Amino acid sequence: MSGFWLIALGAVPLVGSVAVAVLPSAREKAIKQLTLAFTLATLVVGIIVAAQYHPSGPRFQGTLSYSWIKPFGVSFAVGIDGIALVMLLLIVVLLPVVVIAAWNDETPGNRSPKAFFAWLLALEVMMVGVFVATDVFLFYVFFEAMLVPMYFLIGGFGGPRRQYAAMKFFLYSLLGGLVMLAAVITLYFASPSHSFAFAKLVGNVDPGYQKLLFLGFFFAFAIKAPLVPFHTWLPDAGSEAPIGGAVLLVGVLDKVGIFGFLRYCLPLFPDASRYFAPLVLVLAVIGILYGAIVAVGQRDMKRLVAYTSIAHFGFIALGVFAFTSQGGSGAVLYMVNHGLATGLLFIIVGILITRGKSRLIGDYGGVGQVTPWMSGVFLFAGLAALALPGLSTFVGEFLTLLGTFTVHRTYAVLGTIGMIFAALYVLWMYQRVFHGPTQDKVRHFKDLTGREAWAVAPLLVLILFLGVYPKPVLDVINPAVKATLHDVGKTDPAPSAVSGGKK
């Protein structure tokens, strides 16, 4: 695969962001059309990248490397494995959807949406950079730069407490990033190659530094993921962010933390990964149960969806640190499917809030009687969120629990209990909002418009398709997951009905 297309994947939205930024604020229609055109062009580039990728080929494909800061061995190096590829596809699919969904969103103080769409494209550039970087320092640059557009999206275009939420998000992420920076610098001196190139670092980090370095990287990734107890910024950011920002925040941005575990923590620090795995598994199970229980008690729809994500990330972390191929592949597949399902749920919640001007569940009732299509899509998104068989999230969740069960039966059983709470919070919200007596304030609600239908349709199709036929994605993910397990020195246990596959 040509590395040119990976560069183009970041360059197209970058040009788009600049083009939108220089347009006059009064030309709102042109701004939106131009943004949509650039996100669609990036989608086309993403499809070309996927078409050129060979699952049975080298681990990293489309590799390019140019010396950037030569005295310190820093390179502008890019390349993708199967895990990075599926995350890139998730980004390029979600961006046009977000633009269409946000087309008529109101902005605080009736500001021009120019800055919103320019920052949206800039965020796409940073997210692409994070997933294609194969130099640790370059990854860190994109990891930190990602904060800037999201900070302005939340702080400039979010809800009433947007400034507080944006600042909290920024400070949490910055703190994690600074700790990681110290670890990145230490990593340079802890490897005989004195390089930041991922390929040169794997298997060459001084064992005496591994635990310290693992904790430095883990702290940043655990905040970003977010794992309990590093999660408290997410409910505020998720509930105050504009819908488009919330979709990308929970759908993609948070996945960078889990991606970091897979790409950097496990291969670079295998001894420390095995040492700290029991601690991470405990945090993952706590996150599953805590996120689900707290979600049940939420009155704010956006906060409810945000808390469900904390529970879902617990499942993903469980799969990653179970160190089995089923668990790892399930975790990556879950990341993709969670991005699709939660994106759909946030979009439909956003449409509902736009109609009703309230985020509180108690302010609605009987909406389904006047908006049957919206009711159906909401139920579909809710069922996808609780991982109903036949929908895409079920496959990822099943593989995650299966892979965990073979080596850690107790954690898998506790995680399964969280699925029961998922049914509670999804169906409870659906019943309160769409069933019961029709309240006067919802009688004038419009059903889904044509534009809104275009926004949700791609997600509906993908959730259904991957629910019944996940093979194309799994074929891409599996080799990368197996390579990661090889780096960390783990293999799948032999099947054993008696022992349950104890280590």
Side-chain angles (χ1 to χ4, degrees):
M1 182 177 71
S2 170
F4 165 80
W5 292 109
L6 291 185
I7 300 297
L9 202 57
V12 172
L14 178 62
V15 173
S17 179
V18 174
V20 169
V22 299
L23 276 177
S25 299
R27 299 187 61 188
E28 290 189 8
K29 188 175 180 181
I31 288 168
K32 295 171 183 175
Q33 290 173 336
L34 195 62
T35 305
L36 182 59
F38 273 99
T39 55
L40 290 173
T42 311
L43 173 61
V44 172
V45 176
I47 293 170
I48 294 172
V49 168
Q52 293 190 353
Y53 186 86
H54 298 289
S56 57
R59 179 177 184 178
F60 288 98
Q61 300 180 29
T63 52
L64 280 179
S65 181
Y66 300 100
S67 182
W68 180 18
I69 309 174
K70 197 170 183 179
F72 297 100
V74 178
S75 300
F76 187 89
V78 301
I80 55 169
D81 61 1
I83 300 171
L85 174 62
V86 295
M87 295 311 301
L88 290 174
L89 291 175
L90 178 64
I91 293 169
V92 298
V93 166
L94 282 181
L95 256 295
V97 167
V98 164
V99 172
I100 296 171
W103 200 268
N104 289 334
D105 277 1
E106 296 178 4
T107 54
N110 291 321
R111 294 176 55 191
S112 165
K114 182 174 82 168
F116 175 83
F117 288 107
W119 282 122
L120 209 59
L121 288 164
L123 180 61
E124 185 173 23
V125 178
M126 304 307 168
M127 291 189 298
V128 168
V130 160
F131 290 112
V132 303
T134 54
D135 181 281
V136 178
F137 190 84
L138 183 64
F139 169 83
Y140 172 78
V141 170
F142 283 117
F143 183 83
E144 286 292 79
M146 240 177 9
L147 303 181
V148 178
M150 183 52 77
Y151 169 81
F152 283 107
L153 285 172
I154 298 173
F157 300 92
R161 297 175 71 240
R162 57 186 179 276
Q163 297 291 347
Y164 167 77
M167 186 59 71
K168 191 173 181 180
F169 160 77
F170 192 86
L171 290 178
Y172 265 68
S173 301
L174 183 64
L175 175 62
L178 291 176
V179 173
M180 191 172 88
L181 176 61
V184 168
I185 295 171
T186 308
L187 178 64
Y188 177 81
F189 294 102
S191 63
S193 60
H194 291 314
S195 168
F196 291 109
F198 175 81
K200 293 182 179 178
L201 289 170
V202 175
N204 287 313
V205 179
D206 187 334
Y209 286 93
Q210 283 201 18
K211 289 179 183 175
L212 181 65
L213 292 172
F214 175 92
L215 290 176
F217 279 75
F218 177 81
F219 185 63
F221 297 149
I223 289 175
K224 190 73 76 183
L227 277 181
V228 173
F230 309 105
H231 66 285
T232 60
W233 62 270
L234 180 61
D236 291 314
S239 59
E240 296 301 326
I243 291 302
V247 170
L248 295 178
L249 179 71
V250 179
V252 181
L253 216 69
D254 292 355
K255 309 297 190 301
V256 174
I258 301 294
F259 177 78
F261 290 151
L262 284 163
R263 171 60 65 80
Y264 296 103
C265 284
L266 270 57
L268 298 186
F269 321 119
D271 296 340
S273 296
R274 293 191 297 270
Y275 179 83
F276 287 111
L279 172 64
V280 182
L281 291 171
V282 169
L283 293 179
V285 170
I286 291 173
I288 292 170
L289 299 176
Y290 167 81
I293 292 171
V294 176
V296 173
Q298 292 303 306
R299 298 188 304 153
D300 183 317
M301 285 186 283
K302 291 176 73 177
R303 287 184 76 86
L304 188 153
V305 178
Y307 272 110
T308 66
S309 293
I310 293 171
H312 293 149
F313 279 108
F315 281 107
I316 297 170
L318 202 63
V320 171
F321 282 88
F323 296 141
T324 63
S325 58
Q326 297 102 326
S329 295
V332 178
L333 187 62
Y334 204 152
M335 284 200 288
V336 176
N337 294 331
H338 176 263
L340 298 173
T342 305
L344 179 60
L345 196 55
F346 257 126
I347 288 173
I348 207 71
V349 164
I351 293 170
L352 189 62
I353 292 172
T354 301
R355 304 275 200 277
K357 310 296 182 188
S358 172
R359 303 191 326 224
L360 297 179
I361 295 171
D363 287 344
Y364 298 88
V367 178
Q369 296 182 34
V370 292
T371 61
W373 283 102
M374 189 193 301
S375 173
V377 176
F378 190 102
L379 180 61
F380 182 93
L383 294 177
L386 66 83
L388 190 77
L391 302 179
S392 60
T393 42
F394 170 77
V395 185
E397 193 165 282
F398 173 75
L399 284 175
T400 299
L401 289 173
L402 178 66
T404 306
F405 190 84
T406 57
V407 289
H408 302 291
R409 183 174 293 181
T410 302
Y411 294 131
V413 171
L414 290 173
T416 306
I417 295 173
M419 297 170 65
I420 300 171
F421 287 105
L424 273 179
Y425 57 67
V426 168
L427 296 178
W428 179 79
M429 180 165 65
Y430 177 73
Q431 286 185 341
R432 292 281 302 276
V433 172
F434 289 95
H435 287 271
T438 305
Q439 295 194 17
D440 290 339
K441 66 174 291 185
V442 310
R443 293 185 188 281
H444 68 282
F445 279 14
K446 291 180 182 176
D447 208 341
L448 291 180
T449 64
R451 175 186 59 80
E452 291 162 347
W454 275 107
V456 301
L459 302 182
L460 290 169
V461 171
L462 285 171
I463 290 170
L464 266 178
F465 176 76
L466 294 178
V468 296
Y469 190 60
K471 186 176 182 300
V473 179
L474 285 172
D475 285 347
V476 172
I477 292 171
N478 286 336
V481 168
K482 287 179 180 175
T484 303
L485 287 178
H486 179 266
D487 290 337
V488 83
K490 285 284 187 178
T491 56
D492 286 331
S496 171
V498 176
S499 66
K502 288 182 179 179
K503 288 190 295 184

